[in-house]
Amino acid sequence: MTAFPTVFSSKLVHHQLVANYSHLFWVQGSQPDLVPYLLLAHLDVVPASESDGWDAPPFSAKEIDGFIYGRGTIDDKGALMGILQALEYLLMKGYAPRRGFYIALGHDEEARGGKGAVNIARLLKERGVQLSFILDEGLAIVDGVISGLQGPAALIGISEKGWATVKLSATMAPGHSSMPPRETSIGILAAAINRLEENPMPRLFGYGPERQIFEHLAHKFRLPLNFIMSNLWLFSPLLARVLERKPDTNAFVRTTTAVTMFNGGIKENIIPAYAEAFVNLRIHSAQTLQEVLDLIHSTVADQRVKIELIHGFDPLPVSSADERAFGFQIVKKTVLEMFPTVTVAPGVCIGNTDSRHFSDLTRNIYRFAPIWFKPGDPQRFHGINERISKKNYEELVEFYFSLIQNCDIKNVPEAHSSGHEL
Ligand SMILES: CCCCCCCC/C=C\CCCCCCCC(=O)NCC(=O)O
Ligand SMILES: [Zn+2]
Ligand SMILES: [Zn+2]
């Protein structure tokens, strides 16, 4: 049986395989003067092992208490299936969009998107495509995740942090473990890594677009927090010290430093010549890749430690969230139609997405899906017990179902209007 039979048989849909495993769909609109948009998602997932402590095998999609457990349920199969299921239902109903749109499903987002998204973007560029906006994975609806915030908030990523993967290595003379020198390659490297962990990158909270999150949400906090958030020009250093206490909010305060791989030694009684470590940094919007590299050099401050940049890029440009920003307002309208009590605010995506490969096609890139994040859920991202409730999966389908129809209007929707304007 073919999945999404109507999508694959509709005359309105053109489907193309890209780089063997990625998919590009073009859904033709009846009004070619309306600039198309792009819905992005990815097929691949990060690895998972049941032995890490999962309550269900990570590739079982087992249902427990109304939740579907599995690697990829929130990153990013929920949105991917939601988009395709919404299109399937719309086409089954005989719906024909006015505004044409693309759906791009990359197959290597978790490995930087160099084959999937990069080639899809190249194809679209060769065809001279310009996009009204892009909607990709990223932020979510947070409920009880930000301390002191009353009620849920839908955070729409208007930018994303930059990236640096840096390899540190040390090479010393190898030898017999019964006659160790005072310092070894592993010891030198471990000390360098320790200096990086003990000296986090500077607090930059308030100097980037993350400031907009808190200014938008200020009225949802009780005194004195609402006063503090409304006066970030004065209080951002104080708030930064509170936010940095938790990993998920620390990510908004600074460039984060994560040691992700450490290798050295092959036998218990040999002092190894070589040791290496990889450090993955996510760069705050107010910093550049070069500034981060300079700080790594000055913090490590040991000529014996070789520092190599493996891969990096600057933080991404900031997309508009104002009243004239069509993409932002369409996403906001769709969220509010479904969840009238949710506060919608712009935010900075602390992880990275395939959308960055499409920046030549539009300046309006938004990173959001209406996935509900309750306390403890941010840790499921790339962690154990990744899951989505069945109800939330249905909400994802409904969200894209409404969003596609909402995009058929020509101009930016009126604030707080509801109902489709077809
Ligand atoms: C101050 C506001 C606090 C909000 C709490 C954080 C909520 C966390 C929500 C989302 C997590 C961000 C993940 C972003 C998507 C990342 C996709 C991905 O895995 N890409 C690959 C990579 O970044 O390595
Ligand atoms: Zn993802
Ligand atoms: Zn991911």
Side-chain angles (χ1 to χ4, degrees):
M1 196 182 94
T2 312
F4 309 114
T6 322
V7 171
F8 282 98
S9 61
S10 168
K11 285 200 175 67
L12 293 178
V13 181
H14 177 263
H15 169 249
Q16 182 179 5
L17 262 187
V18 180
N20 294 327
Y21 306 107
S22 288
H23 299 259
L24 176 62
F25 298 85
W26 161 242
V27 186
Q28 189 184 318
S30 59
Q31 280 185 229
D33 59 312
L34 298 180
V35 183
Y37 61 98
L38 167 66
L39 301 177
L40 263 177
H42 64 88
L43 293 147
D44 59 318
V45 294
V46 291
S49 167
E50 193 175 354
S51 60
D52 287 343
W54 284 70
D55 294 341
F59 295 98
S60 66
K62 188 173 169 190
E63 218 183 290
I64 305 174
D65 297 335
F67 286 88
I68 305 162
Y69 279 68
R71 175 59 87 228
T73 45
I74 49 178
D75 181 12
D76 184 30
K77 299 283 204 267
L80 181 138
M81 295 296 283
I83 292 167
L84 291 175
Q85 192 62 63
L87 180 58
E88 177 75 11
Y89 285 148
L90 283 166
L91 294 170
M92 279 168 66
K93 274 187 9 151
Y95 170 78
R98 288 182 183 171
R99 187 184 296 271
F101 60 99
Y102 294 90
I103 298 170
L105 311 175
H107 71 272
D108 59 349
E109 188 275 343
E110 301 289 3
R112 301 185 200 149
K115 294 198 172 82
V118 163
N119 278 304
I120 295 172
R122 186 179 48 76
L123 267 177
L124 295 178
K125 214 173 152 186
E126 280 168 9
R127 290 177 197 164
V129 171
Q130 279 296 307
L131 297 167
S132 162
F133 72 94
I134 294 173
L135 180 62
D136 196 1
E137 65 171 334
L139 296 178
I141 303 179
V142 289
D143 189 13
V145 170
I146 305 176
S147 307
L149 178 70
Q150 296 173 294
L155 304 179
I156 301 171
I158 55 171
S159 180
E160 62 187 60
K161 293 177 88 176
W163 172 297
T165 296
V166 176
K167 179 172 145 186
L168 273 60
S169 59
T171 306
M172 298 289 281
H176 198 289
S177 62
S178 62
M179 300 170 285
R182 207 177 57 79
E183 288 183 295
T184 60
S185 53
I186 291 182
I188 290 166
L189 190 62
I193 292 291
N194 185 250
R195 282 196 290 283
L196 287 176
E197 287 192 335
E198 290 295 310
N199 297 284
M201 292 285 160
R203 291 182 197 95
L204 290 171
F205 181 75
Y207 293 95
E210 76 284 349
R211 183 174 177 147
Q212 292 189 39
I213 309 177
F214 291 91
E215 286 171 348
H216 267 82
L217 297 178
H219 68 287
K220 288 282 178 179
F221 288 84
R222 281 204 195 91
L223 267 172
L225 278 172
N226 56 1
F227 181 72
I228 290 172
M229 310 243 177
S230 307
N231 292 284
L232 285 180
W233 60 273
L234 179 63
F235 292 118
S236 55
L238 177 75
L239 190 55
R241 285 172 187 273
V242 177
L243 294 174
E244 72 182 1
R245 290 187 202 147
K246 277 173 58 196
D248 50 9
T249 45
N250 178 48
F252 292 86
V253 172
R254 55 167 46 86
T255 296
T256 50
T257 307
V259 185
T260 49
M261 293 192 277
F262 198 112
N263 307 309
I266 48 154
K267 196 166 180 327
E268 64 187 289
N269 59 353
I270 298 176
I271 292 167
Y274 179 76
E276 66 178 26
F278 287 79
V279 184
N280 183 240
L281 302 105
R282 303 300 172 106
I283 304 171
H284 188 277
S285 303
Q287 238 174 0
T288 64
L289 172 61
Q290 191 54 54
E291 286 166 354
V292 167
L293 293 176
D294 292 345
L295 278 168
I296 293 174
H297 278 272
S298 60
T299 305
V300 169
D302 185 339
Q303 295 301 319
R304 297 168 300 177
V305 178
K306 189 171 165 193
I307 300 170
E308 293 165 83
L309 175 66
I310 302 299
H311 181 68
F313 50 85
D314 284 324
L316 277 295
V318 180
S319 303
S320 172
D322 72 19
E323 315 78 54
R324 286 156 298 138
F326 183 79
F328 186 89
Q329 295 303 333
I330 288 288
V331 175
K332 179 173 175 178
K333 171 184 163 80
T334 312
V335 169
L336 290 176
E337 281 170 3
M338 284 184 70
F339 309 108
T341 59
V342 163
T343 308
V344 179
V348 179
C349 190
I350 54 179
N352 294 103
T353 71
D354 265 348
S355 67
R356 71 181 182 280
H357 300 300
F358 295 80
S359 20
D360 285 346
L361 303 176
T362 180
R363 290 165 58 197
N364 307 308
I365 300 182
Y366 303 102
R367 299 128 180 117
F368 171 79
I371 296 175
W372 285 77
F373 273 26
K374 308 252 183 192
D377 286 340
Q379 289 72 34
R380 300 177 195 274
F381 234 106
H382 291 198
I384 60 168
N385 288 329
E386 184 177 351
R387 66 180 193 184
I388 191 165
S389 71
K390 283 201 295 183
K391 177 168 176 278
N392 197 185
Y393 174 63
E394 285 167 17
E395 287 165 347
L396 281 167
V397 178
E398 193 185 333
F399 172 78
Y400 294 108
F401 186 86
S402 301
L403 181 115
I404 291 169
Q405 295 177 79
N406 283 337
C407 284
D408 276 337
I409 55 168
K410 186 162 187 171
N411 297 315
V412 180
E414 297 282 312
H416 305 303
S417 69
S418 64
H420 299 132
E421 301 178 34
L422 269 170

Coordinates of all heavy atoms in Angstrom, one line a residue, residues 42 46 74-76 109-112 137-142 145-147 149 155 160 163 205 210 213-214 217 243 246-252 280 282 348-354 356 367 371 373 377-379 381-382, ligand 1:
H42 N 12.5 17.0 8.1 CA 13.5 16.1 7.7 C 13.2 14.7 8.1 O 12.5 14.4 9.1 CB 14.9 16.5 8.2 CG 15.1 16.5 9.7 ND1 15.5 15.4 10.4 CD2 14.9 17.5 10.6 CE1 15.6 15.7 11.7 NE2 15.2 17.0 11.9
V46 N 18.7 11.3 14.9 CA 19.9 10.9 15.6 C 19.8 9.5 16.2 O 18.7 9.0 16.4 CB 20.3 12.0 16.7 CG1 20.7 13.3 16.1 CG2 19.2 12.1 17.7
I74 N 9.4 13.8 18.0 CA 9.3 15.3 18.0 C 10.4 15.9 17.0 O 10.2 17.0 16.6 CB 9.5 15.9 19.4 CG1 10.7 15.3 20.2 CG2 8.2 15.8 20.2 CD1 10.9 16.0 21.6
D75 N 11.4 15.1 16.7 CA 12.5 15.6 15.9 C 12.8 14.7 14.7 O 13.7 13.9 14.8 CB 13.7 15.9 16.7 CG 14.9 16.5 16.0 OD1 14.7 16.9 14.8 OD2 16.0 16.5 16.5
D76 N 12.1 14.6 13.6 CA 11.2 15.7 13.2 C 10.0 15.0 12.4 O 9.4 15.6 11.5 CB 12.0 16.6 12.3 CG 11.2 17.8 11.8 OD1 10.3 18.3 12.5 OD2 11.5 18.2 10.7
E109 N 19.5 16.1 7.7 CA 19.6 17.3 8.5 C 20.5 17.1 9.7 O 21.2 18.1 10.1 CB 18.2 17.7 9.0 CG 18.0 19.0 9.6 CD 18.3 19.0 11.1 OE1 18.3 18.0 11.7 OE2 18.6 20.1 11.7
E110 N 20.4 16.0 10.3 CA 21.2 15.7 11.6 C 22.7 15.6 11.2 O 23.6 15.5 12.1 CB 20.7 14.5 12.3 CG 19.3 14.6 12.8 CD 19.0 15.5 13.9 OE1 20.0 16.2 14.3 OE2 17.9 15.6 14.4
A111 N 23.0 15.6 9.9 CA 24.4 15.5 9.5 C 24.7 16.8 8.7 O 25.5 16.7 7.7 CB 24.7 14.2 8.8
R112 N 24.1 17.9 9.0 CA 24.4 19.2 8.4 C 23.6 19.5 7.1 O 23.8 20.5 6.5 CB 25.8 19.5 8.2 CG 26.7 19.4 9.5 CD 28.1 19.8 9.2 NE 29.0 19.3 10.2 CZ 30.3 19.0 9.9 NH1 30.7 19.1 8.7 NH2 31.1 18.6 10.9
E137 N 11.2 23.1 11.3 CA 11.3 22.7 12.7 C 12.0 23.8 13.6 O 12.6 24.7 13.0 CB 12.0 21.4 12.9 CG 13.5 21.6 12.5 CD 14.4 20.4 12.8 OE1 14.0 19.6 13.7 OE2 15.4 20.2 12.2
G138 N 11.9 23.7 14.9 CA 12.7 24.6 15.7 C 12.0 24.7 17.1 O 12.0 23.8 17.8
L139 N 11.4 25.9 17.4 CA 10.9 26.1 18.7 C 9.5 25.5 18.7 O 9.0 24.9 17.8 CB 10.9 27.6 19.0 CG 12.3 28.2 19.1 CD1 12.2 29.7 19.4 CD2 13.1 27.5 20.2
A140 N 8.8 25.7 19.9 CA 7.6 24.9 20.2 C 6.7 25.7 21.1 O 6.9 26.9 21.3 CB 8.1 23.6 20.9
I141 N 5.6 25.1 21.6 CA 4.8 25.7 22.6 C 5.3 25.2 23.9 O 5.3 24.0 24.2 CB 3.3 25.3 22.4 CG1 2.8 25.6 21.0 CG2 2.5 26.0 23.5 CD1 1.3 25.3 20.8
V142 N 5.8 26.2 24.7 CA 6.4 25.8 26.0 C 5.3 26.1 27.1 O 4.7 27.1 27.1 CB 7.7 26.6 26.3 CG1 8.8 26.1 25.5 CG2 7.6 28.1 26.2
V145 N 7.7 25.5 31.2 CA 9.2 25.3 31.0 C 10.0 26.5 31.4 O 11.1 26.4 31.9 CB 9.5 24.9 29.5 CG1 10.9 24.9 29.2 CG2 8.8 23.6 29.2
I146 N 9.4 27.7 31.2 CA 10.1 28.9 31.6 C 9.6 29.3 33.0 O 8.4 29.6 33.2 CB 9.8 30.1 30.6 CG1 10.2 29.6 29.2 CG2 10.6 31.3 31.0 CD1 9.9 30.7 28.1
S147 N 10.5 29.3 34.0 CA 10.0 29.5 35.4 C 9.3 30.9 35.5 O 9.9 31.9 35.0 CB 11.2 29.5 36.3 OG 12.0 28.4 36.2
L149 N 6.6 32.0 34.1 CA 5.7 32.3 33.0 C 4.4 31.7 33.3 O 4.2 30.5 33.5 CB 6.3 31.9 31.7 CG 5.4 32.2 30.5 CD1 5.4 33.7 30.2 CD2 6.0 31.4 29.2
L155 N 6.7 29.9 20.9 CA 7.9 30.6 20.5 C 8.2 30.3 19.0 O 8.5 29.2 18.7 CB 9.0 30.3 21.4 CG 8.8 30.5 22.9 CD1 10.0 30.0 23.7 CD2 8.4 31.9 23.2
E160 N 18.5 31.6 14.2 CA 19.0 30.5 14.9 C 20.5 30.8 15.2 O 21.2 31.6 14.6 CB 18.8 29.2 14.2 CG 19.4 29.0 12.9 CD 19.0 27.7 12.1 OE1 17.8 27.5 11.9 OE2 19.9 26.9 11.8
W163 N 27.2 28.1 14.7 CA 27.8 26.8 15.1 C 29.3 26.8 14.9 O 29.8 27.4 14.0 CB 27.2 25.8 14.0 CG 27.7 24.4 14.0 CD1 28.9 24.0 13.7 CD2 26.9 23.2 14.2 NE1 29.0 22.6 13.7 CE2 27.8 22.1 14.0 CE3 25.6 22.9 14.5 CZ2 27.3 20.8 14.2 CZ3 25.2 21.6 14.6 CH2 26.0 20.6 14.5
F205 N 23.1 37.9 27.1 CA 21.7 37.9 27.2 C 21.3 39.4 27.1 O 21.7 40.3 27.8 CB 21.1 37.3 28.4 CG 19.6 37.4 28.5 CD1 18.9 36.5 27.7 CD2 19.0 38.4 29.2 CE1 17.5 36.6 27.7 CE2 17.6 38.4 29.3 CZ 16.9 37.6 28.5
E210 N 16.9 37.3 21.3 CA 16.3 36.6 22.5 C 15.6 37.6 23.4 O 14.7 37.3 24.1 CB 17.3 35.7 23.3 CG 18.3 36.5 24.2 CD 19.4 37.2 23.4 OE1 19.5 36.9 22.2 OE2 20.1 38.0 24.0
I213 N 11.9 37.8 23.1 CA 11.0 36.8 23.7 C 10.5 37.3 25.0 O 9.3 37.3 25.3 CB 11.8 35.5 24.1 CG1 12.6 34.9 23.0 CG2 10.9 34.4 24.7 CD1 13.5 33.7 23.4
F214 N 11.4 37.8 25.8 CA 11.0 38.2 27.2 C 10.2 39.5 27.2 O 9.3 39.7 28.0 CB 12.3 38.3 28.1 CG 12.8 36.9 28.3 CD1 13.8 36.4 27.4 CD2 12.3 36.1 29.3 CE1 14.3 35.1 27.6 CE2 12.8 34.8 29.5 CZ 13.8 34.3 28.6
L217 N 6.8 38.5 26.4 CA 6.2 37.7 27.4 C 6.1 38.4 28.7 O 5.4 37.9 29.7 CB 6.9 36.4 27.6 CG 7.0 35.5 26.4 CD1 7.9 34.2 26.7 CD2 5.6 35.0 25.9
L243 N 18.8 32.8 34.4 CA 18.5 31.9 33.2 C 19.7 30.9 33.1 O 19.5 29.8 32.6 CB 18.3 32.7 31.9 CG 17.1 33.6 31.9 CD1 17.1 34.5 30.6 CD2 15.8 32.8 31.9
K246 N 19.8 26.9 34.4 CA 19.3 25.7 33.8 C 19.8 25.6 32.3 O 19.8 26.6 31.6 CB 17.7 25.8 33.7 CG 17.1 25.4 35.1 CD 15.6 25.6 35.1 CE 14.8 24.9 34.0 NZ 13.5 25.5 33.8
P247 N 20.2 24.4 31.9 CA 20.7 24.3 30.6 C 19.9 24.8 29.4 O 20.4 25.4 28.5 CB 21.0 22.7 30.4 CG 21.0 22.2 31.8 CD 20.2 23.1 32.6
D248 N 18.5 24.6 29.5 CA 17.7 25.0 28.4 C 17.5 26.5 28.3 O 17.4 27.1 27.2 CB 16.3 24.3 28.3 CG 15.6 24.3 29.7 OD1 16.0 25.0 30.6 OD2 14.6 23.6 29.8
T249 N 17.6 27.2 29.5 CA 17.6 28.7 29.4 C 19.0 29.3 29.3 O 19.1 30.4 28.7 CB 16.8 29.2 30.6 OG1 17.2 28.6 31.8 CG2 15.3 29.0 30.4
N250 N 20.0 28.6 29.8 CA 21.4 29.1 29.6 C 21.7 29.2 28.1 O 22.4 30.1 27.7 CB 22.3 28.0 30.2 CG 23.8 28.4 30.0 OD1 24.2 29.6 30.3 ND2 24.6 27.5 29.6
A251 N 21.0 28.4 27.3 CA 21.3 28.4 25.8 C 20.9 29.8 25.2 O 21.4 30.1 24.2 CB 20.5 27.3 25.2
F252 N 20.0 30.5 25.9 CA 19.6 31.8 25.4 C 20.6 32.9 25.9 O 20.5 34.1 25.5 CB 18.2 32.2 25.8 CG 17.2 31.3 25.2 CD1 16.9 30.0 25.7 CD2 16.6 31.6 24.0 CE1 16.0 29.2 25.1 CE2 15.7 30.8 23.3 CZ 15.4 29.6 23.8
N280 N 31.5 21.1 20.6 CA 30.4 21.7 19.7 C 29.9 22.9 20.4 O 29.4 22.8 21.5 CB 29.3 20.6 19.5 CG 28.2 21.1 18.5 OD1 27.1 21.2 18.9 ND2 28.6 21.5 17.3
R282 N 27.4 26.4 20.2 CA 26.3 27.1 19.5 C 26.4 28.6 19.8 O 26.3 29.0 21.0 CB 24.9 26.5 19.9 CG 24.8 25.0 19.8 CD 25.0 24.6 18.3 NE 25.0 23.1 18.2 CZ 24.0 22.4 17.7 NH1 22.9 22.9 17.3 NH2 24.2 21.1 17.6
V348 N 14.6 32.8 19.5 CA 15.8 32.3 18.8 C 15.9 30.8 18.9 O 15.8 30.3 20.0 CB 17.1 33.0 19.4 CG1 18.3 32.5 18.7 CG2 17.0 34.5 19.4
C349 N 16.1 30.2 17.8 CA 16.2 28.7 17.8 C 17.6 28.4 18.3 O 18.6 28.8 17.7 CB 15.9 28.1 16.4 SG 15.8 26.4 16.4
I350 N 17.7 27.6 19.3 CA 19.0 27.3 19.9 C 19.7 26.1 19.3 O 20.9 25.9 19.4 CB 18.9 27.0 21.5 CG1 17.9 25.9 21.7 CG2 18.5 28.3 22.2 CD1 17.7 25.6 23.2
G351 N 19.0 25.3 18.5 CA 19.6 24.3 17.6 C 19.6 24.8 16.2 O 19.1 25.9 15.9
N352 N 20.1 24.0 15.3 CA 20.2 24.4 13.9 C 19.3 23.5 13.0 O 19.0 22.4 13.4 CB 21.6 24.4 13.5 CG 22.4 25.4 14.2 OD1 23.2 25.1 15.1 ND2 22.2 26.7 13.9
T353 N 18.9 24.1 11.9 CA 17.9 23.5 11.0 C 18.3 23.6 9.6 O 19.2 24.4 9.2 CB 16.5 24.2 11.2 OG1 16.6 25.5 10.6 CG2 16.1 24.3 12.6
D354 N 17.7 22.7 8.8 CA 18.0 22.7 7.3 C 17.6 24.1 6.7 O 18.1 24.4 5.6 CB 17.1 21.7 6.6 CG 17.8 20.4 6.5 OD1 19.1 20.3 6.6 OD2 17.2 19.4 6.1
R356 N 18.6 26.9 7.1 CA 19.7 27.9 6.8 C 20.3 27.7 5.4 O 20.8 28.7 4.8 CB 20.8 27.7 7.8 CG 21.6 26.5 7.7 CD 22.7 26.4 8.8 NE 23.6 25.2 8.6 CZ 23.2 24.0 9.1 NH1 22.0 23.8 9.7 NH2 24.0 23.0 8.9
R367 N 11.0 29.1 12.5 CA 11.3 27.8 13.0 C 10.4 27.5 14.1 O 10.6 27.9 15.2 CB 12.8 27.7 13.5 CG 13.8 28.0 12.3 CD 14.7 29.1 12.8 NE 15.8 29.4 11.8 CZ 15.8 30.7 11.3 NH1 15.0 31.6 11.6 NH2 16.8 30.9 10.4
I371 N 4.4 21.8 18.9 CA 4.6 20.6 19.7 C 4.6 21.2 21.2 O 5.3 22.1 21.4 CB 6.0 19.9 19.4 CG1 5.9 19.4 17.9 CG2 6.3 18.9 20.4 CD1 7.2 18.8 17.4
F373 N 5.7 21.4 24.8 CA 6.8 21.1 25.6 C 6.5 21.4 27.1 O 6.3 22.6 27.4 CB 8.1 21.9 25.3 CG 8.9 21.3 24.2 CD1 8.4 20.4 23.3 CD2 10.3 21.5 24.1 CE1 9.1 19.8 22.3 CE2 11.1 20.9 23.1 CZ 10.5 20.0 22.2
D377 N 10.4 17.9 29.0 CA 10.3 17.5 27.6 C 11.5 18.1 26.8 O 12.0 17.3 25.9 CB 9.0 18.0 26.9 CG 7.8 17.2 27.4 OD1 8.1 16.0 27.8 OD2 6.7 17.6 27.2
P378 N 12.1 19.3 27.1 CA 13.3 19.7 26.3 C 14.4 18.6 26.4 O 15.1 18.5 25.4 CB 13.7 21.0 26.9 CG 12.4 21.6 27.5 CD 11.6 20.4 27.9
Q379 N 14.5 17.9 27.5 CA 15.6 16.9 27.6 C 15.3 15.7 26.7 O 16.3 14.9 26.5 CB 15.7 16.5 29.1 CG 16.3 17.5 30.0 CD 15.3 18.7 30.3 OE1 14.1 18.5 30.4 NE2 15.9 19.9 30.5
F381 N 14.7 15.9 23.6 CA 15.2 16.2 22.3 C 16.6 15.6 22.2 O 17.5 15.9 23.0 CB 15.4 17.7 22.2 CG 14.7 18.4 21.1 CD1 13.6 19.1 21.2 CD2 15.3 18.3 19.8 CE1 13.0 19.7 20.1 CE2 14.8 18.9 18.7 CZ 13.6 19.6 18.9
H382 N 16.9 14.7 21.3 CA 18.2 14.0 21.2 C 18.5 13.1 22.4 O 19.6 12.7 22.6 CB 19.3 14.9 20.9 CG 19.3 15.5 19.5 ND1 20.4 16.1 18.9 CD2 18.3 15.6 18.6 CE1 20.1 16.5 17.7 NE2 18.8 16.3 17.5
Ligands
LIG1 C1 13.8 31.2 27.4 C2 12.9 30.3 26.7 C3 13.2 28.8 27.2 C4 12.6 27.9 26.3 C5 13.0 26.5 26.6 C6 13.6 25.8 25.5 C7 12.6 25.0 24.8 C8 13.4 24.1 23.9 C9 12.6 24.0 22.7 C10 13.2 23.5 21.6 C11 14.6 22.9 21.6 C12 15.3 23.5 20.4 C13 15.7 22.5 19.4 C14 15.8 23.2 18.1 C15 15.7 22.3 16.9 C16 16.9 21.5 16.7 C17 16.9 20.6 15.5 C18 18.1 19.8 15.5 O1 18.3 18.9 16.3 N1 19.1 20.2 14.7 C19 20.4 19.6 14.7 C20 21.3 20.3 15.7 O2 21.0 21.4 16.1 O3 22.3 19.7 16.0

